[in-house]
Amino acid sequence: MVKDKSYDVIVIGAGHAGCEAALASSRMGLQTLLITLRMNTIGLMSCNPAIGGVGKGQLVKEVDALGGQMARSADSCVIQFRLLNASKGAAVHSSRAQIDRLLYQRHMQKVVTTQQNLLVKQTEATGLIVEDSQVLGVKTPDEDFYSKCVIITTGTFLNGIIHIGLEEYQAGRRDEPASISLSKSLGDCGLELKRLKTCTTPRLDGVSIDFSRMKLQPGDTDIRPFSFSTQKIPLRQLPCYLTYTNQRSHDIIRLALRDKKLLHIISQGVNPRYCPSIEEKVTRFPEKERHQLFIEPEGLDVDEYYANGLFTFLPHQVQQEILATIPGLEKSRITKPGYGIEYDFAPPTQLFPSLETKKIKNLFLAGQINGTTGYEEAAAQGLIAGINAALRVRARPALVLDRSTSYIGVLIDDLVTKGTDEPYRMFTSRVEYRLLLREDNADLRLRKIGFEIGLVNREDYEKTFKKQELIQSGLKYLKENRVPDNGKNITLYQLLKRPGVSIQDLSGQLPFKTSRDALNVLETEIKYAGFIQRQISEVHSFRNLEKIRLPVDFDYSQIPSLSREIREKLFRFKPINLGQASRISGVTPVAITILMLHLKKINKGTR
């Protein structure tokens, strides 16, 4: 454990982004300080007790492939697992797991507090120490700490205000104080801050729920863990339940919204599009007769349930009245009411793709402070910020994953290039090359990177290398060996391409033992060979632009043929290559061509 007041990296906040950031930098050998308001909230799942989902499961798999922690902790605490979109194509298969909330929190706390090179300190970060546009450390009420890099992962704590109906109070999370001074310090340093808001659902006493009036939602019996290193799932599995709101529920919501003060609180600011409140859904979709609610267990030894779908800003009493109209929840008791929260965030166009701020050197931002929502998006950013802070201290080039390599690359590129004015959530639909960026091959795509930066051990890396060899051997065997078919011989490869024929039908014919993971990848690569080849060609074209670098201090005023508006955008965004420049809103294909010609002229003149 480090005990000095000077560190290589300081991480502020111990949520999902902060844990990944601190673990990454410390595991890479950097002396790291993690500052948190409360030790017992490290790794807290402040909203739903679940990890993964459509597009999010891919992020968790990629975090694991790079050497992050979330997948392993989730596997240790999962109480229900489901592969979403299993009946659809492999490109959109996404894992989702119900998690024992308390066990996950304890597991992550143990991992963090026992990690070598990592010291956790319970205090408040009140400001940054900045000189000549470079961060030098962090101020706390009692003492200052110095470091070479700082990572801020404050979630919803910056100037957070909680709303439960007309009741409002400053807080970063239920029963936890907001971070006021740090928000002011960021503004004083020149960072732009804006406001976002989101909300959570009421928690219900399981004893008061009539599950017999709901539809049982069991998990998968064939569980595929999040982590490529997990051998088995240790916990007993539990079901979820499905029920619905109805017109009586909606009438209660509409009646509550007649209160103009309440309506003003709910409607002001940007409502989250991808996790809307129940009142937002009822208002936006008046024709819908019902909305589904998933009643999800909080844990094995906690008789408390999460009403997924009943996100709300409404008063406690109104929440109880709504529940009384819902099948199975008529007599349910609220243990904790749902609430809304608004908070400061830093528009992420102020960041480089490394997640370092453009205005303040060696300062990195990750998680909800960048405008995202979700544990998985936060963990992915935290991991990349932790890696890049460590690489900066080691004077090594930053790790930048592009859109053709990973969901993480898409996530960060969307944030730093396009920005967001509402809580950003990852979906498969955001990813252009999703047939190449599947859950089943995240290790094949990213484990080498994790190994080379020091986060993946040799055993796990060699396991991935072996998986690749098995896939290649299987592919070769299926192409070379034939079976009779309607009077002629066809290859096993040709047979597998047929609808209705699965790799399991042919696995017994392979002359060597192949893992299930390798078989899954092998089948997908064969059945979607044509589409995959097409996307590979598209990636080659994409990478041609990504390879053409733009200096961060490039003087766009030297190119008079660019419009003033485009020059201003390029100055502000500081794209690192032509590919990123092409994705900035308003930068036209013609402008990219002009830039390309100008760069060629410069390069020719320097030879």
Side-chain angles (χ1 to χ4, degrees):
M1 288 290 185
V2 287
K3 296 182 179 179
D4 193 22
K5 292 183 182 179
S6 182
Y7 301 84
D8 293 316
V9 177
I10 296 177
V11 180
I12 302 173
H16 304 284
C19 286
E20 294 291 351
L23 288 170
S25 64
S26 58
R27 287 169 175 173
M28 291 172 70
L30 281 296
Q31 301 301 305
T32 305
L33 174 66
L34 176 60
I35 295 176
T36 179
L37 285 169
R38 294 182 180 177
M39 295 282 285
N40 63 358
T41 59
I42 293 172
L44 175 67
M45 305 178 80
S46 54
C47 194
N48 61 322
I51 285 175
V54 177
K56 292 168 170 279
Q58 285 87 338
L59 287 174
V60 180
K61 290 274 192 179
E62 291 179 355
V63 166
D64 181 68
L66 287 167
Q69 182 62 38
M70 174 173 273
R72 295 179 188 235
S73 293
D75 287 344
S76 297
C77 307
V78 59
I79 55 177
Q80 189 195 89
F81 178 89
R82 296 184 73 183
L83 183 65
L84 306 181
N85 293 328
S87 62
K88 299 181 180 179
V92 293
H93 289 177
S94 301
S95 299
R96 185 182 189 273
Q98 290 301 132
I99 303 295
D100 187 308
R101 183 193 301 275
L102 186 56
L103 285 182
Y104 185 91
Q105 190 175 342
R106 288 173 177 169
H107 187 276
M108 191 62 82
Q109 286 174 7
K110 183 177 180 181
V111 170
V112 168
T113 56
T114 58
Q115 174 62 45
Q116 188 178 6
N117 300 323
L118 177 58
L119 175 67
V120 183
K121 188 168 182 64
Q122 180 174 287
T123 187
E124 180 185 4
T126 56
L128 299 178
I129 303 169
V130 177
E131 289 183 12
D132 298 325
S133 299
Q134 179 170 323
V135 70
L136 301 178
V138 175
K139 298 177 181 178
T140 74
D142 300 320
E143 53 192 331
D144 295 345
F145 297 95
Y146 292 86
S147 63
K148 298 168 185 173
C149 289
V150 173
I151 305 171
I152 301 179
T153 67
T154 44
T156 58
F157 278 74
L158 292 181
N159 270 333
I161 298 177
I162 281 180
H163 297 276
I164 306 175
L166 296 178
E167 177 190 0
E168 68 174 51
Y169 58 93
Q170 283 209 303
R173 202 159 42 197
R174 189 196 313 268
D175 301 326
E176 295 184 61
S179 180
I180 311 300
S181 300
L182 182 59
S183 188
K184 182 179 183 304
S185 177
L186 293 177
D188 292 342
C189 291
L191 287 180
E192 178 189 8
L193 298 177
K194 291 184 177 181
R195 299 287 277 176
L196 284 179
K197 66 178 183 177
T198 188
C199 54
T200 187
T201 74
R203 269 62 163 192
L204 309 176
D205 183 353
V207 175
S208 66
I209 299 173
D210 183 358
F211 296 107
S212 68
R213 303 200 60 209
M214 304 178 185
K215 184 178 179 182
L216 187 70
Q217 297 280 295
D220 296 348
T221 54
D222 182 19
I223 298 177
R224 303 178 186 181
F226 273 121
S227 175
F228 293 98
S229 303
T230 298
Q231 298 300 312
K232 85 181 217 186
I233 299 298
L235 300 183
R236 174 170 56 93
Q237 302 295 285
L238 296 180
C240 295
Y241 299 87
L242 176 63
T243 187
Y244 296 88
T245 63
N246 51 56
Q247 285 303 310
R248 289 169 57 215
S249 319
H250 301 174
D251 288 343
I252 291 171
I253 293 168
R254 293 188 185 104
L255 181 61
L257 294 180
R258 290 182 183 176
D259 186 324
K260 292 184 179 179
K261 290 183 179 179
L262 178 61
L263 181 62
H264 175 71
I265 290 171
I266 292 173
S267 60
Q268 69 181 354
V270 179
N271 282 292
R273 184 192 315 181
Y274 303 116
C275 196
S277 66
I278 187 63
E279 50 268 27
E280 179 79 5
K281 287 191 281 190
V282 169
T283 303
R284 285 173 55 193
F285 308 106
E287 72 285 356
K288 289 204 70 170
E289 295 183 357
R290 64 181 190 173
H291 295 281
Q292 63 183 14
L293 303 178
F294 291 97
I295 309 303
E296 302 171 343
E298 296 262 318
L300 290 175
D301 300 319
V302 180
D303 205 359
E304 192 171 47
Y305 283 75
Y306 179 89
N308 195 341
L310 200 64
F311 305 98
T312 185
F313 291 81
L314 293 170
H316 187 164
Q317 182 58 37
V318 176
Q319 295 179 37
Q320 192 70 68
E321 291 172 7
I322 295 168
L323 291 169
T325 68
I326 297 170
L329 301 179
E330 295 93 339
K331 297 181 180 179
S332 62
R333 293 187 296 273
I334 295 176
T335 57
K336 302 181 188 75
Y339 64 86
I341 185 165
E342 57 177 308
Y343 54 94
D344 288 348
F345 83 107
T349 51
Q350 300 174 94
L351 303 174
F352 292 113
S354 63
L355 297 182
E356 182 185 15
T357 63
K358 295 172 182 176
K359 287 192 174 181
I360 305 171
K361 188 177 180 181
N362 299 337
L363 176 65
F364 297 78
L365 309 182
Q368 282 181 280
I369 191 174
N370 290 338
T372 59
T373 180
Y375 309 145
E376 306 80 6
E377 291 88 345
Q381 293 172 73
L383 176 64
I384 296 301
I387 289 171
N388 281 326
L391 292 174
R392 171 60 57 81
V393 174
R394 299 290 193 210
R396 292 171 58 187
L399 172 64
V400 175
L401 301 175
D402 68 41
R403 302 182 75 90
S404 69
T405 63
S406 59
Y407 272 63
I408 296 175
V410 173
L411 164 69
I412 293 176
D413 186 67
D414 277 353
L415 291 173
V416 304
T417 304
K418 303 172 184 177
T420 186
D421 56 7
E422 62 185 354
Y424 177 102
R425 182 177 179 180
M426 176 52 70
F427 292 107
T428 55
S429 58
R430 297 187 188 274
V431 181
E432 299 92 335
Y433 312 116
R434 54 185 174 272
L435 193 51
L436 301 179
L437 310 181
R438 308 183 308 274
E439 278 197 355
D440 62 8
N441 67 5
D443 54 340
L444 303 177
R445 292 184 279 115
L446 300 173
R447 266 255 155 103
K448 183 179 180 182
I449 297 173
F451 176 70
E452 289 175 344
I453 61 178
L455 289 180
V456 172
N457 62 42
R458 181 167 292 278
E459 180 183 353
D460 284 337
Y461 177 59
E462 289 178 351
K463 181 180 175 183
T464 303
F465 191 73
K466 179 66 175 176
K467 176 179 172 180
Q468 183 67 67
E469 286 184 329
L470 289 172
I471 293 167
Q472 293 303 317
S473 297
L475 188 62
K476 184 173 184 293
Y477 184 84
L478 292 172
K479 284 183 175 181
E480 291 178 350
N481 288 270
R482 296 176 175 270
V483 293
D485 180 71
N486 294 327
K488 62 179 181 179
N489 289 335
I490 64 170
T491 64
L492 292 171
Y493 181 94
Q494 291 171 313
L495 181 62
L496 183 57
K497 286 183 73 71
R498 292 179 177 176
V501 179
S502 76
I503 192 69
Q504 299 302 326
D505 300 329
L506 307 180
S507 59
Q509 300 189 44
L510 295 176
F512 48 84
K513 188 176 180 181
T514 305
S515 68
R516 183 177 70 170
D517 280 353
L519 285 177
N520 289 338
V521 176
L522 181 60
E523 180 172 21
T524 300
E525 295 286 334
I526 291 173
K527 285 191 175 294
Y528 294 91
F531 298 103
I532 287 174
Q533 195 54 50
R534 188 182 306 163
Q535 286 204 349
I536 289 173
S537 298
E538 292 171 359
V539 166
H540 287 323
S541 299
F542 164 82
R543 285 182 173 165
N544 286 337
L545 281 181
E546 300 294 303
K547 288 177 182 176
I548 303 176
R549 309 291 294 179
L550 286 166
V552 173
D553 57 353
F554 191 78
D555 185 2
Y556 295 99
S557 65
Q558 298 176 15
I559 316 175
S561 49
L562 289 176
S563 71
R564 179 178 177 179
E565 179 188 359
I566 288 176
R567 288 202 303 270
E568 287 176 352
K569 286 189 173 184
L570 292 170
F571 269 123
R572 180 155 51 94
F573 283 88
K574 300 183 186 300
I576 62 171
N577 56 50
L578 279 187
Q580 190 186 14
S582 71
R583 294 186 292 276
I584 297 171
S585 176
V587 177
T588 63
V590 171
I592 297 300
T593 301
I594 292 170
L595 273 174
M596 191 182 301
L597 292 172
H598 187 79
L599 288 169
K600 284 182 178 178
K601 189 184 297 183
I602 292 175
N603 291 335
K604 187 176 180 180
T606 56
R607 287 175 188 169

